[in-house]
C-alpha cells in the first residue's frame, strides 16, 4: 500500500500545497511583518517539491538514507533563516506541523473507504513529519546559538575601549562581568595602547562591573601587574562600597594596588603623580 | 660565542638586548653584568628588552636575579621597553618580577634611575614626589 501513498502524494502535490498555504495563512501566529506571503509560498513550494520528489516506497521509514539529505538541507536552511529573522520556536514548529496536517487531510480524502490502510499510512506520515520537525528544531536552535555566540563576540569587542583622558593618562572603563577571556582582551588592549601612546598611568574603572569575586580580583591583579611590568602605573577606580565589602570579606589583598573610589579621584591622583596642577581660570590673576 | 655588550655611561650601565636570549647567553649576561657593576661601581643598571619578543620562566628569573645581585652591589636595576606580549607571559607564568623597577622607554627609565639614585644619595633632586614610586612592591 505504501507504494501507492507516495505516488498519491506526488499526484496531489498541488492540493497539498494549497491546503498547506491555507493553513499557514489562516494561522493566528502568521508573521507578515517578518516574511511576505510570496516568500512563504516560495519556501513552502520548494520544500514540498523536494520532499515529495524524494519520496519512494522504501525510504519512508529509513531516515538515515541519503535520499533525505536534500530535504534536510532545505529544511535546515529555512530553520536557520527563521532563527535569524527572529521567529519564535512555535512559529517555526507550526511551519512543519501545518504541512503534516495538510498531507493527512489529503490522505484522508483519498483513502476514505479503507480505515485500516488510512491508519497505517497516517502513522507513517506522522513518523516522517515528526522526524522532520525534530530536524527543524535542532537547526533552529543551532541557528539561535550562533546568533548568541556572535553577539557575545561583538560585546567583548566593543565594550573594552581604551580612552586617552590626558597626555600620558589612559582610562579603561570595564562594563559587565570580567572573565578570563575578557581579561585577556582588556589586558592586551591596554598594554598595546600604553606602548602606542607612551602613557605612564592607566586607570582601570570598574564601576560597571556588577560583582567582584576572588576570580575577578585575580584578573584585576594580573592586569595591574602586567601594566607595572611595562613600566606604567595602574590605578583601580570606581570601587563601590558593596565591592569593598566583598573584597575584604573574601580576604583578597589589594593593598599593593592603588585603589580610588571614583574616576575623578584617580585622575586627581594621576595629576599629582605627574606633577600637574588643575586651577580655576580666574585664579591666575589673583594673588 | 655571542656576547651582549654592556655600555658604561657615567654612573650607569646600559644593556640593550637585541636578540632573543637563550639560556647560556642569559647566564653569561648575568655574570658579566655583576662583574661590570663591581668593577665600575655603577649606581644604576638599565636593561632595554624592547627587542625581546619571547621569554620563559628562566629568563624571568635571570632578570630578577640581576636586579637582586645589583641591589646587593648598591645599584638599582630598571627594565625598560617590555613588549605587551612579554608582560602578559610573565604574569601568566606567575613572575611579577618583584623588586625590579620598570619604565616604558629608555628616556623614562633614565629619569627614574636619576630620581632613585638622587634620592638615595640625598644630594640632588629633593623635590621628588614621595608618592612617585615605580617599584613593584
Amino acid at each position: 500500500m505504501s507504494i501507492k501513498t507516495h505516488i498519491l502524494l506526488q499526484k496531489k502535490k498541488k492540493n497539498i500545497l494549497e491546503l498547506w498555504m491555507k493553513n499557514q495563512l489562516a494561522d493566528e501566529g502568521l508573521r507578515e511583518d517578518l516574511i511576505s506571503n510570496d516568500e512563504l509560498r516560495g519556501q513552502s513550494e520548494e520544500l514540498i517539491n523536494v520532499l515529495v520528489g524524494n519520496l519512494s516506497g522504501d525510504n519512508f521509514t529509513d531516515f538515515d538514507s541519503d535520499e533525505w539529505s536534500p530535504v534536510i538541507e532545505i529544511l535546515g536552511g529555512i530553520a536557520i533563516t527563521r532563527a535569524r529573522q527572529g521567529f519564535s520556536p512555535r512559529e517555526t514548529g507550526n511551519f512543519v506541523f501545518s504541512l503534516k496536517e495538510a498531507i493527512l487531510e489529503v490522505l484522508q480524502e483519498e483513502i476514505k473507504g479503507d480505515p485500516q490502510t488510512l491508519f497505517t499510512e497516517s502513522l507513517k506520515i506522522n513518523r516522517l513529519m515528526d522526524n522532520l520537525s525534530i530536524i527543524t528544531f535542532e537547526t533552529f536552535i543551532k541557528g539561535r546559538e550562533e546568533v548568541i555566540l556572535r553577539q557575545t563576540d561583538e560585546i567583548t569587542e566593543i565594550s573594552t575601549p581604551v580612552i586617552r583622558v590626558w597626555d600620558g593618562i589612559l582610562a579603561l572603563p570595564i562594563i559587565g562581568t570580567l572573565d578570563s577571556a575578557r581579561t585577556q582582551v582588556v589586558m592586551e588592549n591596554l598594554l598595546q595602547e600604553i606602548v602606542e601612546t607612551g602613557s605612564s598611568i592607566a586607570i582601570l574603572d570598574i564601576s560597571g562591573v556588577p560583582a567582584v569575586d576572588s576570580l575577578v580580583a585575580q584578573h584585576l591583579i594580573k592586569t595591574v601587574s602586567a601594566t607595572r611590568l611595562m613600566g606604567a602605573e595602574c590605578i583601580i577606580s570606581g570601587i563601590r562600597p558593596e565591592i569593598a565589602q566583598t573584597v575584604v570579606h573574601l580576604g583578597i589583598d589589594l593593598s599593593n594596588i592603588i585603589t580610588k573610589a571614583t574616576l575623578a579621584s584617580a585622575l586627581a591622583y594621576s595629576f599629582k603623580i605627574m606633577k600637574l596642577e588643575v586651577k580655576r581660570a580666574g585664579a591666575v590673576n589673583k594673588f | 660565542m655571542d656576547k651582549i655588550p654592556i655600555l658604561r655611561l657615567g654612573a650607569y650601565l646600559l644593556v640593550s638586548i637585541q636578540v632573543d636570549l637563550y639560556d647560556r647567553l642569559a647566564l653569561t649576561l648575568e655574570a658579566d653584568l655583576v662583574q661590570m657593576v663591581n668593577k665600575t661601581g655603577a649606581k644604576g643598571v638599565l636593561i632595554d628588552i624592547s627587542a625581546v619578543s619571547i621569554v620563559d620562566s628562566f629568563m624571568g628569573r635571570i632578570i630578577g636575579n640581576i636586579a637582586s645581585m645589583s641591589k646587593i652591589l648598591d645599584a638599582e636595576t630598571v627594565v625598560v621597553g617590555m613588549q605587551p606580549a612579554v608582560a602578559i607571559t610573565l604574569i601568566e607564568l606567575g613572575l611579577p618580577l618583584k623588586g625590579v623597577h620598570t619604565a616604558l622607554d629608555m628616556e623614562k627609565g633614565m629619569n627614574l634611575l636619576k630620581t632613585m639614585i638622587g634620592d638615595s644619595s640625598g644630594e640632588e633632586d629633593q623635590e621628588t614626589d614621595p608618592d612617585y614610586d615605580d617599584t613593584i612592591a
Side-chain angles (χ1 to χ4, degrees):
Chain A
M1 266 330 242
S2 62
I3 303 163
K4 255 183 167 173
T5 312
H6 74 261
I7 295 170
L8 186 96
L9 288 181
Q10 271 158 14
K11 244 192 281 172
K12 292 283 173 184
K13 201 164 77 182
K14 275 240 157 61
N15 287 22
I16 296 173
L17 178 63
E18 287 314 315
L19 254 169
W20 187 20
M21 282 310 293
K22 208 182 83 194
N23 282 351
Q24 288 193 73
L25 293 177
D27 189 11
E28 275 177 24
L30 180 70
R31 297 292 294 265
E32 276 168 339
D33 51 333
L34 293 179
I35 191 162
S36 71
N37 285 351
D38 288 341
E39 220 175 314
L40 186 64
R41 177 173 275 274
Q43 276 185 355
S44 311
E45 211 169 344
E46 194 188 4
L47 179 63
I48 219 165
N49 276 339
V50 178
L51 176 67
V52 174
N54 276 287
L55 271 184
S56 68
D58 36 300
N59 66 8
F60 229 87
T61 44
D62 178 20
F63 300 106
D64 297 327
S65 109
D66 288 341
E67 288 160 66
W68 286 111
S69 52
V71 183
I72 292 171
E73 207 171 286
I74 284 184
L75 211 52
I78 292 174
I80 283 203
T81 337
R82 289 191 163 217
R84 289 198 189 127
Q85 282 169 333
F87 278 87
S88 75
R90 174 186 288 267
E91 286 148 9
T92 314
N94 270 342
F95 177 71
V96 182
F97 290 134
S98 54
L99 171 62
K100 178 161 93 175
E101 258 169 49
I103 294 180
L104 288 179
E105 224 174 302
V106 169
L107 213 61
Q108 195 184 19
E109 194 71 28
E110 291 300 313
I111 330 180
K112 247 187 212 155
D114 189 352
Q116 185 65 46
T117 323
L118 178 62
F119 180 71
T120 14
E121 292 311 310
S122 305
L123 211 60
K124 275 182 191 163
I125 294 281
N126 252 322
R127 217 172 278 152
L128 168 72
M129 294 313 291
D130 287 351
N131 247 293
L132 292 183
S133 331
I134 289 171
I135 291 165
T136 314
F137 260 91
E138 276 175 351
T139 343
F140 181 78
I141 289 169
K142 220 197 285 169
R144 286 289 267 263
E145 272 165 5
E146 271 168 24
V147 172
I148 293 170
L149 276 179
R150 207 185 57 234
Q151 284 172 345
T152 317
D153 282 351
E154 272 169 23
I155 291 170
T156 339
E157 275 295 304
I158 51 173
S159 63
T160 48
V162 183
I163 305 160
R164 210 171 149 185
V165 277
W166 204 268
D167 194 30
I169 304 174
L170 295 177
L172 203 149
I174 301 176
I175 318 260
T177 326
L178 205 57
D179 56 14
S180 308
R182 207 140 163 243
T183 317
Q184 196 72 20
V185 177
V186 167
M187 215 195 271
E188 274 167 21
N189 284 351
L190 180 61
L191 299 191
Q192 200 54 51
E193 203 64 22
I194 287 175
V195 172
E196 271 164 31
T197 60
S199 305
S200 51
I201 293 169
I203 304 170
L204 218 57
D205 188 83
I206 58 164
S207 359
V209 178
V212 173
D213 55 14
S214 43
L215 208 63
V216 173
Q218 193 60 42
H219 291 321
L220 286 175
I221 292 170
K222 266 188 188 173
T223 313
V224 173
S225 307
T227 328
R228 282 189 181 166
L229 274 184
M230 301 275 305
E233 192 57 70
C234 194
I235 304 167
I236 295 183
S237 77
I239 298 175
R240 280 175 280 122
E242 313 84 89
I243 288 186
Q245 274 183 311
T246 355
V247 165
V248 172
H249 282 162
L250 287 171
I252 301 162
D253 183 22
L254 290 182
S255 57
N256 293 332
I257 297 173
I258 306 163
T259 49
K260 299 281 167 202
T262 58
L263 187 64
S265 52
L267 196 60
Y269 178 76
S270 317
F271 284 156
K272 210 176 110 197
I273 290 181
M274 296 181 78
K275 301 193 180 81
L276 293 170
E277 268 181 53
V278 183
K279 278 184 187 163
R280 202 177 289 277
V284 181
N285 300 327
K286 287 179 199 161
F287 279 96
Chain B
M1 203 182 82
D2 287 335
K3 253 193 171 189
I4 291 169
I6 302 169
L7 313 171
R8 188 180 163 188
L9 185 81
Y12 310 109
L13 292 180
L14 303 183
V15 181
S16 183
I17 303 172
Q18 305 281 347
V19 290
D20 280 329
L21 277 178
Y22 49 90
D23 292 1
R24 186 177 287 276
L25 194 60
L27 283 172
T28 319
L29 175 68
E30 182 189 290
D32 286 355
L33 200 56
V34 179
Q35 286 287 337
M36 277 294 272
V37 172
N38 192 25
K39 206 164 77 185
T40 60
K43 292 281 166 211
V45 178
L46 200 75
I47 305 175
D48 169 43
I49 57 163
S50 54
V52 176
S53 53
I54 299 168
V55 283
D56 55 12
S57 52
F58 184 74
M59 265 303 303
R61 226 187 66 202
I62 291 286
I63 294 175
N65 282 354
I66 291 176
S68 315
M69 291 169 188
S70 309
K71 186 78 198 160
I72 296 173
L73 294 168
D74 191 29
E76 296 290 346
T77 306
V78 176
V79 173
V80 302
M82 192 182 290
Q83 296 287 326
V86 172
I88 293 174
T89 313
L90 285 177
I91 293 303
E92 294 297 337
L93 287 171
L95 290 166
L97 296 188
K98 290 184 195 300
V100 180
H101 304 275
T102 50
L104 272 177
D105 51 38
M106 206 71 158
E107 196 185 342
K108 289 193 171 107
M110 212 57 181
N111 286 339
L112 179 64
L113 264 184
K114 276 181 187 155
T115 321
M116 281 191 302
I117 289 163
D119 273 354
S120 58
S121 60
E123 286 167 10
E124 45 177 320
D125 207 350
Q126 289 298 320
E127 288 173 2
T128 327
D129 195 326
D131 278 330
Y132 191 33
D133 182 13
D134 264 1
T135 318
I136 294 157

